Amino acid sequence: MKKIRERRDLAIHGAPPAFAAPLHVGRPNIGDREAFLSLVSEILERRWLTNNGPLVRRLEERIAALHGVRHCVAMCNGTIALEIAIRALGLKGEVIVPSFTFIATAHALHWQEIVPVFADIRGDTHTLDPDAVESMITPRTSGIIGVHTWGRCCDVEGLQAVADRHGLRLLFDAAHAFGCAYGGTRVGNFGACEVLSFHATKFFNTFEGGAVLTNDDALAEQMRLMRNFGFAGLDNVIHPGTNGKMTEVAAAMGLVNLDAVDGIVQANRRNHTLYKALLDPLPGVRVLDYDPAQDPNYQYVVAEIGRDCPVGRDRLLEALRAENVLARRYFWPGCHRMQPYRDLYPHAGLLLPVTERIAGEVLVLPTGTGLPEQDIRTLCAVVSTVVGASV
Ligand code: T4K
């Protein structure tokens, strides 16, 4: 601590940052390297590189089993998986989504000429508020997409009740929620289907990748067709489609990372506990909790920098950047303030007071298997010094 304080004083006179190399949010977790390379070697021997290969099928089976769901349809990324799910469910007109999400949730709709209508979230959960959703329904609304933000599941029953009352389709963007549960049931079993992302920065990655989980046999079959141009066999196209296929090398990464998943959760949980212990005592700083009963993957360490903190979130972000800590303001400023939605709905913020507040307070900190405990202690000492110096 004393060292950090001295360093802070020195920093004014051009001292080097606290970390020599940047500390990133989103550093990939990587499983057993030898096992991965051996699978890649197998792929090269087999000369079967993509198009529903044996490793993709093995990965789908294992992910479906892990989530206790009938179907896992693997795709090339989470965004295409969302687009295919949206199209397979026949969504049109308007679909209600949170603005407090990664831009892909909104773009997956807009890209298909469906209007994303932004509803507010709850301050305690950061997920869609079912009452706010209900207030945004119009005769043009065809569906709702809930986002399990940070891997903490939405109010699944509340949203299902709204969907049922109004005859709407409900699906979930579960990009953050690999392996997570709600009331003892794993994601994949809620709504019509749920979409995972396996992007490099995610808790579980396949370089790029994603999947749709569902218990609906017909929907799964339709999405399998759609991800492969609608081919039902050689020279036989029976459905409109696109190229959403996962490659074998991506599946190899997935299979190896699946074997490492328990260790990744443990490392993330350890990091989260340490961050909480070191940051929660600071005024106006609160690290978001996870409920151990919901099988969280702890992949995001989310600090809320409240109004009672002597230093604002953006000032803290800047101070951390100066020390080579590349923390992130997910999902600032909210989709409604990004293009094209900013021009389409210039006044959307008036209906999204909680989104606006939370987007201004959240700071996501580095975690994952590659982060030594000492780095977390140093990082938290930097935060503590900045907050202390601003009192
Ligand atoms: N829905 C939700 C709710 C999502 O959060 C996402 C993706 C999606 C849908 C769409 O799924 P995908 O189509 O992506 O499968 C990152 C990810 O690119 C994105 O996948 C993720 N959400 C989002 C929350 O985070 P950016 O714009 O922050 O990415 P970028 O390039 O700035 O990388 C983040 C950090 O990770 C940097 O500090 C660098 C570090 N990094 C990144 C990569 C790619 C590494 O250390 N190594 C790497 O290989 O969006």
Side-chain angles (χ1 to χ4, degrees):
M1 188 62 210
K2 182 168 168 282
K3 216 166 130 202
I4 290 288
R5 209 165 278 134
E6 282 164 6
R7 240 210 33 69
R8 184 176 61 84
D9 296 338
L10 281 170
I12 299 165
H13 306 290
F19 295 95
L23 222 58
H24 286 278
V25 165
R27 218 60 178 150
N29 298 309
I30 299 172
D32 187 310
R33 193 176 294 219
E34 290 309 316
F36 171 67
L37 293 175
S38 137
L39 282 178
V40 171
S41 181
E42 258 181 45
I43 294 168
L44 299 179
E45 284 296 314
R46 197 160 37 233
R47 289 180 188 258
W48 194 275
L49 307 185
T50 182
N51 289 28
N52 207 25
L55 297 191
V56 167
R57 293 200 302 273
R58 202 191 304 167
L59 182 69
E60 288 183 332
E61 272 167 29
R62 286 189 60 187
I63 291 176
L66 192 150
H67 290 85
V69 67
R70 286 174 66 80
H71 302 281
C72 167
V73 185
M75 308 257 185
C76 56
N77 61 56
T79 305
I80 293 288
L82 266 175
E83 287 179 14
I84 287 180
I86 287 164
R87 198 172 272 259
L89 288 173
L91 299 187
K92 56 185 175 17
E94 297 173 0
V95 170
I96 300 174
V97 290
S99 169
F100 189 70
T101 179
F102 189 60
I103 197 70
T105 320
H107 277 356
L109 292 162
H110 185 263
W111 199 249
Q112 307 192 66
E113 298 188 356
I114 299 167
V115 178
V117 172
F118 299 118
D120 215 354
I121 53 171
R122 277 178 39 184
D124 54 344
T125 62
H126 295 189
T127 58
L128 271 181
D129 175 348
D131 292 337
V133 169
E134 195 151 31
S135 73
M136 305 302 274
I137 292 173
T138 74
R140 283 169 49 78
T141 309
S142 63
I144 303 167
I145 303 181
V147 180
H148 299 318
T149 317
W150 319 130
R152 303 191 313 172
C153 286
C154 293
D155 176 354
V156 167
E157 288 116 354
L159 291 175
Q160 189 64 62
V162 173
D164 291 346
R165 264 199 300 280
H166 297 271
L168 304 176
R169 302 310 303 263
L170 173 65
L171 71 146
F172 291 99
D173 177 338
H176 302 177
F178 187 97
C180 301
Y182 178 85
T185 302
R186 287 261 163 99
V187 301
N189 293 283
F190 302 109
C193 62
E194 305 201 57
V195 177
L196 299 170
S197 162
F198 310 146
H199 182 257
T201 55
K202 292 292 187 292
F203 155 77
F204 166 82
N205 86 82
T206 60
F207 296 104
E208 289 272 3
V212 187
L213 304 179
T214 183
N215 286 313
D216 181 330
D217 298 348
L219 184 66
E221 185 48 35
Q222 191 186 353
M223 291 188 296
R224 287 186 198 285
L225 284 170
M226 290 170 85
R227 76 171 171 188
N228 188 27
F229 313 102
F231 272 109
L234 285 185
D235 310 324
N236 186 23
V237 172
I238 60 165
H239 201 285
T242 184
N243 185 351
K245 293 179 267 89
M246 176 180 273
T247 65
E248 284 289 275
V249 83
M253 183 69 157
L255 287 166
V256 166
N257 284 340
L258 257 189
D259 290 334
V261 145
D262 291 345
I264 301 171
V265 174
Q266 263 176 36
N268 284 348
R269 189 176 51 223
R270 225 176 19 241
N271 295 346
H272 178 263
T273 305
L274 184 57
Y275 270 117
K276 249 193 116 50
L278 297 173
L279 294 183
D280 273 359
L282 301 179
V285 179
R286 194 178 74 92
V287 174
L288 243 63
D289 287 313
Y290 290 100
D291 177 358
Q294 313 280 34
D295 288 351
N297 55 36
Y298 299 90
Q299 77 172 299
Y300 292 102
V301 173
V302 182
E304 282 180 338
I305 313 302
R307 287 189 189 138
D308 42 343
C309 181
V311 59
R313 189 272 312 267
D314 289 352
R315 167 74 193 96
L316 192 52
L317 177 77
E318 229 176 79
L320 285 170
R321 291 230 164 127
E323 302 296 349
N324 238 343
V325 178
L326 306 185
R328 296 296 295 260
R329 294 183 285 196
Y330 292 136
F331 293 102
W332 184 83
C335 296
H336 67 289
R337 288 184 178 273
M338 291 180 168
Q339 290 296 23
Y341 315 108
R342 188 171 61 198
D343 283 353
L344 289 173
Y345 321 118
H347 307 299
L350 296 173
L351 293 171
L352 303 168
V354 183
T355 298
E356 296 247 305
R357 177 173 66 77
I358 297 293
E361 293 185 350
V362 160
L363 192 61
V364 176
L365 299 168
T367 184
T369 47
L371 186 66
E373 178 186 322
Q374 188 48 46
D375 282 4
I376 298 178
R377 293 188 181 280
T378 306
L379 189 162
C380 292
V382 171
V383 174
S384 170
T385 305
V386 176
V387 171
S390 310
V391 174

